[in-house]
Amino acid sequence: MNKIEHIGIAVKNLADSDGLFQRLFGAAPYKHESVESEGVTTSFFQMGESKIELLEATRPDSPIAKFIEKKGEGVHHIAFAVDDIRAEMRRLQAEGFQLLNEEPKAGADNKWVCFLHPKGTNGVLIELCQERS
Ligand code: ZN
């Protein structure tokens, strides 16, 4: 695993939170993107080498809607950049971690992504992401 690529924050209202984080960071989000398969709309802020991803649910059964229902708004996941997502998935599986998807899936911001079950990582949802080329 390389650096922290981004931190994902679950929010109720993306437009409101875009404004809030724009005031906090002094910079506007550089992109907005919906991921239909995940039921989310996202916005990304660049902070030096790292990014902050805001996530809003687009439907009630979206994982973000369920997360907010249970825990409220806040930090949802930490994403790590990897060079070879399949190799990293195999390595982590061999280490006994549970993957939430068996195949890399297309995520936001031009990435292949895979999530680890938070039960096996002290309650922290971990995302692996590799640049899609
Ligand atoms: Zn993410």
Side-chain angles (χ1 to χ4, degrees):
M1 271 189 227
N2 305 328
K3 63 176 183 178
I4 291 177
E5 214 278 336
H6 65 269
I7 294 175
I9 298 174
V11 304
K12 285 181 181 165
N13 183 305
L14 197 61
D16 288 352
S17 295
D18 270 352
L20 177 80
F21 281 85
Q22 183 161 339
R23 279 190 288 127
L24 182 69
F25 298 146
Y30 68 91
K31 91 151 72 164
H32 286 96
E33 190 177 345
S34 291
V35 184
E36 268 320 306
S37 56
E38 300 292 309
V40 296
T41 303
T42 64
S43 61
F44 283 87
F45 293 81
Q46 186 79 46
M47 309 293 299
E49 279 212 340
S50 304
K51 297 165 189 165
I52 297 293
E53 175 185 30
L54 304 182
L55 304 117
E56 178 194 53
T58 57
R59 46 173 204 259
D61 66 341
S62 134
I64 293 300
K66 289 179 189 163
F67 177 88
I68 288 177
E69 207 177 278
K70 263 198 244 166
K71 300 188 173 177
E73 294 178 296
V75 173
H76 176 258
H77 65 269
I78 301 177
F80 292 90
V82 298
D83 296 324
D84 182 343
I85 195 166
R86 286 180 187 277
E88 198 64 10
M89 287 165 71
R90 280 195 300 274
R91 183 183 75 80
L92 291 168
Q93 232 165 1
E95 290 284 354
F97 292 97
Q98 193 188 334
L99 307 179
L100 287 181
N101 46 297
E102 293 293 317
E103 288 292 316
K105 52 184 183 179
D109 203 29
N110 199 42
K111 300 284 193 298
W112 291 112
V113 303
C114 176
F115 288 92
L116 304 188
H117 201 296
K119 271 185 192 159
T121 50
N122 285 169
V124 180
L125 181 60
I126 304 280
E127 174 186 343
L128 308 176
C129 59
Q130 179 190 342
E131 205 73 38
R132 264 190 279 166
S133 48

